[in-house]
């Protein structure tokens, strides 16, 4: 009851209406102790269709607003988020179990992408291309795409939407967002601040950014609606396959951010203290529930014993517990399913002959809350659950002898999101980041696999989906490209020297 009251107080402090629900709505639980945070109303199929239609109708006017003016809305949104950073961060902690620092860090990411997008609103550049024909020029221009559908996961309930929303809005698109049913309160609050910012600027909010609260059926309806021109979906590979097929059937774009089985290579010259710190954050942070979490540590045999002992000492004393406490570094996993998946993976590892350290449930103060000590699993070879992504705090270790072998192990999984190498050897660092090295969308040197900045494009290859969000030129996914040929002469020469006289 205390947490439920706190949710209401947080919404009130942000000037937002409290979440509305009823007996047939969605019940939201906190992973901290399993208690009920709120009940929220579910969007019906008819409401989903109506929301998409409103967004499509609004697109016709929003695309005509100059991009810098669209950027003013994103600026106001970012400023509102900054003002309410503490409240939003606490709401993330309550709803997902993230520790306080990570909740605040996610809110800061929302602010950062808004700042990036505001600058971008004056930099939606095309190209001027030399023409082979006299008195002609070629131009490349970029135009708004249409209605963007966003499907986000529970582990980043605010950041992922903002990556998409900030870019999509300055690019002239409208939005329909279906957040995870495990974290709807964060979505309701963030969406409320976006609409509040629009109203403060005198902008009509109808159809600008619609919010759908629902389960799988709501997401499917969003994907299948022909008025949606781009679906940006974050979640499992299985979900991504279904979304990709549905989008392909309608020739619409799919921007997929799926799973990751991320590895770091530890070379003989590596700074092991740096490795331990990076591995602890990347593997145990967010209770191992990041798509960029470190899953595999590929360690040179010469430093393997020393590194294992250092990791065991650190993992043994990692503060696991209530994420609301400042001293806690590892909060609960999201729910029972996550806990059971972790235990199944550890059992499979034992059956394959691996040496399993830690991983048991602890701090059981409530049967509906699942706290676990992050596990370290030693394998002689890369096999079994090491080849799969388990969304839980499990760090697999395997030794290697040759650097080319280590790169092959890094690449020998279905996903291709994030990777890292720890070395003081320039050749190894350059090889790892070359075309012969990591096959991932993110390849780091002397830093872990998680903690990407918004300035770079985020995403990965293979079963990670191939999508790119956030920085760099990721904005191009939200626009359509047109090539324009302008004839400013009085003749009509044809390309490739073709003669066609009439």
């Amino acid at each position: 009851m205390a947490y439920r009251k706190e949710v209401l107080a947080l919404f009130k402090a942000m000037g937002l209406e409290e979440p509305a629900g009823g007996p047939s709505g969605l019940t939201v639980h906190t992973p901290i102790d399993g208690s009920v945070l709120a009940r929220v109303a579910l969007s019906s199929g008819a409401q989903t269709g109506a929301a998409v239609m409103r967004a499509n109708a609004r697109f016709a006017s929003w695309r005509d607003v100059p991009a810098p003016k669209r950027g003013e809305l994103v600026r106001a949104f970012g400023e509102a988020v900054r003002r309410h950073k503490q409240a939003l961060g606490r709401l993330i902690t309550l709803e997902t179990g993230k520790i306080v620092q990570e909740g605040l860090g996610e809110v800061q990411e929302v602010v950062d992408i808004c700042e990036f997008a505001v600058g971008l609103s004056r930099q939606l550049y095309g190209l001027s291309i030399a023409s082979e024909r006299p008195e002609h020029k070629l131009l490349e221009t970029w135009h708004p795409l249409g209605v963007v559908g966003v499907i986000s996961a529970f582990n980043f309930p605010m950041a992922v939407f903002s990556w998409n929303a900030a870019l999509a809005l300055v690019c002239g698109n409208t939005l329909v967002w279906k957040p995870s049913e495990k974290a709807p309160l964060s979505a309701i609050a963030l969406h409320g601040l976006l609409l509040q910012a629009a109203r403060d600027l005198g902008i009509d909010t109808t159809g600008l950014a619609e919010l759908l609260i629902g389960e799988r059926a709501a997401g499917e309806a969003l994907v299948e609606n022909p008025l949606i021109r781009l679906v940006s979906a974050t979640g499992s590979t299985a979900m991504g396959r279904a979304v990709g097929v549905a989008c392909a059937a309608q020739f619409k774009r799919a921007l997929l951010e799926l799973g990751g089985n991320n590895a770091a290579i530890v070379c003989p010259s590596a700074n092991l203290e740096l490795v331990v710190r990076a591995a602890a954050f990347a593997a145990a942070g967010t209770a191992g529930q990041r798509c960029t979490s470190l899953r595999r540590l590929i360690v040179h045999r010469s430093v393997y014993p020393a590194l294992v002992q250092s990791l065991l000492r650190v993992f043994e004393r990692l503060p696991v517990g209530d994420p609301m406490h400042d001293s806690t570094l590892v909060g609960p996993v999201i729910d029972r399913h996550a806990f059971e998946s972790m235990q199944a993976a550890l059992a499979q590892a034992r059956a394959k002959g691996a040496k399993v350290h830690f991983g048991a449930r602890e701090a059981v103060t409530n049967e509906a809350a699942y706290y676990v000590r992050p596990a370290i699993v030693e394998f002689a070879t890369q096999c079994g659950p090491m080849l799969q992504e388990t969304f839980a705090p499990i760090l697999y270790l395997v030794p290697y002898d040759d650097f080319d072998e280590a790169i092959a192990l890094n690449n020998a999984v279905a996903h291709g999101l994030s990777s890292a190498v720890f070395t003081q050897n320039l050749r190894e660092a350059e090889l790892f980041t070359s075309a012969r090295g990591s096959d991932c969308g993110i390849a780091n040197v002397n830093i872990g696999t998680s903690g990407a900045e918004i300035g770079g494009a985020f995403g990965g290859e293979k079963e990670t989906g191939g999508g790119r969000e956030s920085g760099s030129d990721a904005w191009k996914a939200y626009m359509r490209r047109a090539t324009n040929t302008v004839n400013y002469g009085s003749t009509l020469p044809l390309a490739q020297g073709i003669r066609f006289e009439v």
Side-chain angles (χ1 to χ4, degrees):
M1 182 62 72
Y3 289 143
R4 188 169 187 172
K5 289 181 178 179
E6 183 170 357
V7 166
L8 298 178
L10 290 172
F11 271 77
K12 184 177 181 180
M14 290 185 280
L16 302 173
E17 294 182 6
E18 64 181 68
S24 60
L26 179 68
T27 302
V28 185
H29 299 268
T30 175
I32 296 175
D33 64 2
S35 62
V36 174
L37 290 178
R39 294 185 188 276
V40 297
L42 291 169
S43 303
S44 66
Q47 289 172 323
T48 298
V52 175
M53 289 184 68
R54 285 193 298 271
N56 186 62
R58 183 58 193 282
F59 169 65
S61 59
W62 184 243
R63 66 186 173 186
D64 288 338
V65 175
K69 291 292 185 182
R70 300 193 295 251
E72 290 180 7
L73 168 59
V74 175
R75 183 198 304 277
F77 174 47
E79 289 172 350
V81 171
R82 189 192 298 274
R83 285 195 303 272
H84 299 295
K85 180 177 178 178
Q86 295 297 321
L88 291 170
R90 197 160 181 86
L91 185 59
I92 290 174
T93 296
L94 284 168
E95 192 167 40
T96 70
K98 281 188 177 184
I99 63 171
V100 171
Q101 283 298 307
E102 289 193 88
L104 293 173
E106 180 171 351
V107 179
Q108 185 61 46
E109 197 163 349
V110 177
V111 175
D112 292 346
I113 193 62
C114 286
E115 291 182 349
F116 178 91
V118 172
L120 180 65
S121 69
R122 295 181 182 271
Q123 300 179 74
L124 300 175
Y125 298 141
L127 297 173
S128 176
I129 306 166
S131 173
E132 67 183 69
R133 290 169 283 185
E135 298 184 309
H136 282 62
K137 68 177 179 181
L138 298 179
L139 300 173
E140 179 184 271
T141 53
W142 294 85
H143 305 291
L145 185 62
V147 184
V148 172
V150 180
I151 299 174
S152 60
F154 78 86
N155 57 332
F156 283 90
M158 295 188 189
V160 170
F161 168 71
S162 300
W163 288 354
N164 287 277
L167 298 189
L169 286 170
V170 298
C171 288
N173 304 298
T174 53
L175 298 159
V176 182
W177 178 20
K178 205 294 274 187
S180 169
E181 62 272 21
K182 296 179 181 180
L185 299 177
S186 296
I188 293 169
L190 195 65
H191 178 257
L193 290 178
L194 174 58
L195 298 190
Q196 189 181 83
R199 286 191 292 267
D200 289 345
L201 292 174
I203 297 173
D204 180 11
T205 61
T206 305
L208 187 66
E210 298 283 340
L211 180 65
L212 302 175
I213 302 298
E215 299 178 314
R216 179 171 178 171
E220 290 174 344
L222 187 64
V223 171
E224 294 168 1
N225 193 302
L227 297 178
I228 299 290
R229 297 313 309 148
L230 166 67
V231 175
S232 177
T234 302
S236 69
T237 296
M239 180 272 287
R241 280 200 179 94
V243 170
V245 169
C247 288
Q250 295 185 14
F251 300 101
K252 70 174 63 173
R253 297 184 193 177
L255 198 167
L256 302 176
E257 296 288 357
L258 310 176
N261 190 348
N262 314 297
I265 298 171
V266 182
C267 300
S269 65
N271 179 333
L272 295 188
E273 182 181 348
L274 197 66
V275 173
V276 171
R277 291 181 60 197
F281 174 71
T286 322
Q289 298 171 124
R290 301 190 200 106
C291 54
T292 54
S293 288
L294 180 61
R295 310 292 180 195
R296 297 172 294 138
L297 206 55
I298 302 166
V299 186
H300 192 271
R301 208 173 293 274
S302 65
V303 297
Y304 186 94
L307 181 59
V308 169
Q309 290 307 309
S310 295
L311 286 169
L312 289 175
R313 286 194 294 270
V314 169
F315 274 54
E316 184 178 28
R317 65 173 189 264
L318 279 173
V320 178
D322 189 338
M324 299 293 242
H325 296 164
D326 289 339
S327 60
T328 298
L329 293 182
V330 183
V333 294
I334 190 68
D335 56 21
R336 178 179 177 179
H337 174 73
F339 171 75
E340 291 178 346
S341 295
M342 178 180 180
Q343 299 310 306
L346 295 178
Q348 186 182 359
R350 293 187 185 95
K352 289 283 187 180
K355 189 173 183 180
V356 177
H357 307 273
F358 316 125
R361 189 177 181 186
E362 60 178 62
V364 182
T365 57
N366 188 299
E367 288 301 317
Y370 295 88
Y371 294 84
V372 291
R373 180 151 300 277
I376 293 175
V377 179
E378 297 182 70
F379 266 104
T381 59
Q382 183 167 273
C383 63
M386 279 192 74
L387 300 175
Q388 307 158 9
E389 182 193 34
T390 302
F391 221 52
I394 304 175
L395 178 61
Y396 297 102
L397 274 69
V398 65
Y400 80 91
D401 296 297
D402 176 76
F403 191 62
D404 286 338
E405 172 199 358
I407 291 177
L409 289 171
N410 176 83
N411 296 347
V413 292
H415 297 94
L417 178 53
S418 189
S419 58
V421 65
F422 288 85
T423 181
Q424 303 301 313
N425 183 310
L426 180 62
R427 176 186 172 275
E428 290 172 335
E430 291 291 344
L431 181 58
F432 182 76
T433 57
S434 75
R436 288 171 49 199
S438 169
D439 65 358
C440 297
I442 298 170
N444 296 334
V445 178
N446 292 328
I447 189 172
T449 57
S450 55
E453 297 181 34
I454 60 93
F458 179 88
E461 303 302 320
K462 301 188 292 188
E463 290 192 4
T464 299
R468 292 297 186 274
E469 295 173 328
S470 193
S472 185
D473 65 348
W475 62 271
K476 293 180 178 180
Y478 304 88
M479 304 197 83
R480 59 179 179 86
R481 184 196 321 239
T483 300
N484 314 130
T485 303
V486 179
N487 178 0
Y488 55 89
S490 57
T491 61
L492 192 67
L494 301 177
Q496 292 83 49
I498 295 172
R499 297 178 65 85
F500 192 85
E501 303 294 341
V502 295

